[in-house]
Amino acid sequence: MDPGHPGTLRRLRPLLVLETSTLLSAVANGITMIAFPWLVLELTGSAAAAGAIGAITVLPLALSFLFAGVVVDIVGRRRVAVVSDVLSMISAALVPIFAATTGLSFWLLAALAVLGAVFDPAGVSAREAVLPEVADAVGMTRERVNGIHEAIWGVGYLVGPGVGGLALGLFGAAPTYWFTAAMFLISSLVIAGLRVPGAGRPAVHERPDGVWRGAVEGIRFVWRDRTLRAVALLSMVIVGAWLPVEGVILPVYFSELDQPERLGVTIMMMSVGGVVGALVYSSRGHGWSARRTFAWAIVLSGVSVLGMALFPPFGFFVALAFLAGLTYGPVGPVINLAMQNRTPFRLRGRVVSLLTSAAYIAGPIGYVLVGPGVQAVGVGPMFLAVAVVVFGMGLVALLLPSLRAMDDPAVE
């Protein structure tokens, strides 16, 4: 059928709604990824301060780690996604408002970072938890929809840093947040229109039996599943190593060179590679081994990051950034698929949220280590250490027996 045919568009409407909202939210987060560390560096001149801002969000994210998935399973995927975007919009809009009125300080920025981050795992989890139902509604395999979903995130992080780097150069760090707030607002309006089974509030018999009991049930389920536990721990280490590269190491490096545009180009190229890698998995991954794809993607990405850590000429540096994204592209869809296939519907929000939140917590922990490390030993040695960690986790993934169950059939 012609993709432009009205019948086809109606059938694809759930996917289009979900991914339009995902794209807008990802663009907003991509802008923030560039603008926030730049804003902190502009205010304090300290790489350690940029890392400390991320560390301050650990406690709120730990609470989200415990309870966000329960909220998703009680309130519903659609409503949680809307609320998450609205809170992020408020947080983003307050940055230029305070900058133009009372002025910004380190602790005020920390408070705004907490407000913007605390519901991020719930919003991301709400979207990912409804992906199997969207796949059923549009008649696609889970592999294909997960690949498309992660590719859309990649496009967002392709466009967002580019917009962010350009806006930083033209308007400055604080006014850039108006673009972020606008993206979050539109995203919340779009996702409110998602209509598929499982997007609304779950039936009474499918809801958790209380917030605390629901959280404990989700944690026990993940911990007792050796495969999900291994995926969660590996993801935490990799994210904890990689996010400070984008949030501290590269901003400090290009800040010293006074080249925000090159920072934007570098992260954009990683995103381009990630989009291509996710789309390749979307079109070809149905017949691939999930375990082997997961492990080799991390190994090959680690090799590319090791090359980046040597800081070759900028042209080679950007090419390696693209390869790092390309080889890592299938990891997100494979992790999503493992969570969806191994988890019953009534627990899916909690399981997705636990793994997502674990990764979010790992990022600030990485900032605590990498920020002061950059101050102490310099950008180059810290980048090399981070690259070794990423490569090492790929080797671990190749050897872990518990990951073999990633290829098991989906539970009903």
Side-chain angles (χ1 to χ4, degrees):
M1 184 180 289
D2 183 356
H5 190 280
T8 302
L9 292 177
R10 280 195 299 271
R11 179 175 62 83
L12 294 178
R13 186 178 186 277
L15 183 62
L16 294 174
V17 167
L18 177 64
E19 299 311 336
T20 298
S21 173
T22 297
L23 176 61
L24 292 165
S25 183
V27 169
N29 280 305
I31 295 172
T32 300
M33 185 174 67
I34 291 291
F36 200 83
W38 199 272
L39 182 62
V40 175
L41 288 168
E42 193 175 86
L43 184 68
T44 67
S46 169
I53 286 283
I56 289 169
T57 65
V58 168
L59 179 58
L61 285 174
L63 295 175
S64 179
F65 172 85
L66 290 174
F67 301 113
V70 186
V71 174
V72 171
D73 284 340
I74 292 175
V75 177
R77 284 80 165 131
R78 179 176 57 243
R79 195 173 299 175
V80 169
V82 170
V83 171
S84 174
D85 282 344
V86 168
L87 290 176
S88 295
M89 176 202 69
I90 293 171
S91 171
L94 286 175
V95 171
I97 289 173
F98 280 122
T101 54
T102 63
L104 294 170
S105 67
F106 174 84
W107 290 109
L108 179 56
L109 285 176
L112 294 176
V114 168
L115 177 61
V118 69
F119 268 89
D120 270 356
V124 173
S125 301
R127 289 178 170 87
E128 291 185 357
V130 80
L131 283 172
E133 285 69 41
V134 170
D136 291 341
V138 300
M140 294 182 180
T141 65
R142 291 185 180 185
E143 286 86 354
R144 187 168 189 185
V145 168
N146 277 293
I148 291 171
H149 184 72
E150 293 301 318
I152 292 296
W153 272 113
V155 170
Y157 280 96
L158 163 64
V159 175
V163 172
L166 183 61
L168 282 172
L170 293 176
F171 307 110
T176 294
Y177 275 82
W178 286 122
F179 295 95
T180 305
M183 294 295 100
F184 279 126
L185 173 60
I186 300 170
S187 175
S188 69
L189 296 174
V190 171
I191 195 64
L194 180 64
R195 296 291 185 271
V196 294
R201 192 174 188 187
V204 174
H205 69 278
E206 293 178 330
R207 297 176 203 164
D209 184 19
V211 174
W212 177 253
R213 287 185 180 180
V216 171
E217 184 183 17
I219 293 170
R220 283 177 177 168
F221 181 86
V222 172
W223 190 253
R224 289 172 179 173
D225 188 299
R226 295 172 66 240
T227 300
L228 292 179
R229 185 175 69 216
V231 168
L233 294 175
L234 283 170
S235 297
M236 286 184 71
V237 176
I238 294 167
V239 171
W242 182 247
L243 281 187
V245 171
E246 299 176 339
V248 178
I249 290 176
L250 293 180
V252 170
Y253 176 68
F254 287 110
S255 175
E256 290 174 351
L257 298 176
D258 193 26
Q259 293 175 331
E261 296 83 4
R262 286 196 170 188
L263 172 62
V265 168
T266 299
I267 296 179
M268 280 172 57
M269 291 307 294
M270 283 189 283
S271 295
V272 170
V275 169
V276 175
L279 288 176
V280 169
Y281 179 79
S282 175
S283 63
R284 305 286 183 181
H286 185 62
W288 294 0
S289 162
R291 178 183 68 85
R292 291 176 182 172
T293 301
F294 178 72
W296 279 109
I298 298 171
V299 168
L300 295 175
S301 182
V303 171
S304 300
V305 177
L306 281 169
M308 291 177 67
L310 300 177
F311 290 109
F314 187 65
F316 290 106
F317 189 82
V318 168
L320 288 168
F322 173 80
L323 288 175
L326 176 69
T327 52
Y328 195 79
V331 171
V334 171
I335 291 176
N336 290 350
L337 191 65
M339 291 187 290
Q340 295 159 11
N341 286 351
R342 300 188 66 79
T343 308
F345 174 82
R346 69 179 190 86
L347 284 167
R348 196 188 301 148
R350 277 164 282 177
V351 171
V352 172
S353 182
L354 283 170
L355 269 70
T356 303
S357 297
Y360 270 71
I361 291 171
I365 293 173
Y367 287 137
V368 173
L369 300 174
V370 173
V374 169
Q375 295 271 102
V377 302
V379 170
M382 278 308 301
F383 200 0
L384 186 61
V386 166
V388 169
V389 169
V390 174
F391 177 74
M393 289 302 98
L395 297 180
V396 170
L398 282 172
L399 299 174
L400 271 182
S402 58
L403 293 183
R404 292 172 186 163
M406 291 179 75
D407 293 315
D408 289 351
V411 299
E412 295 298 332

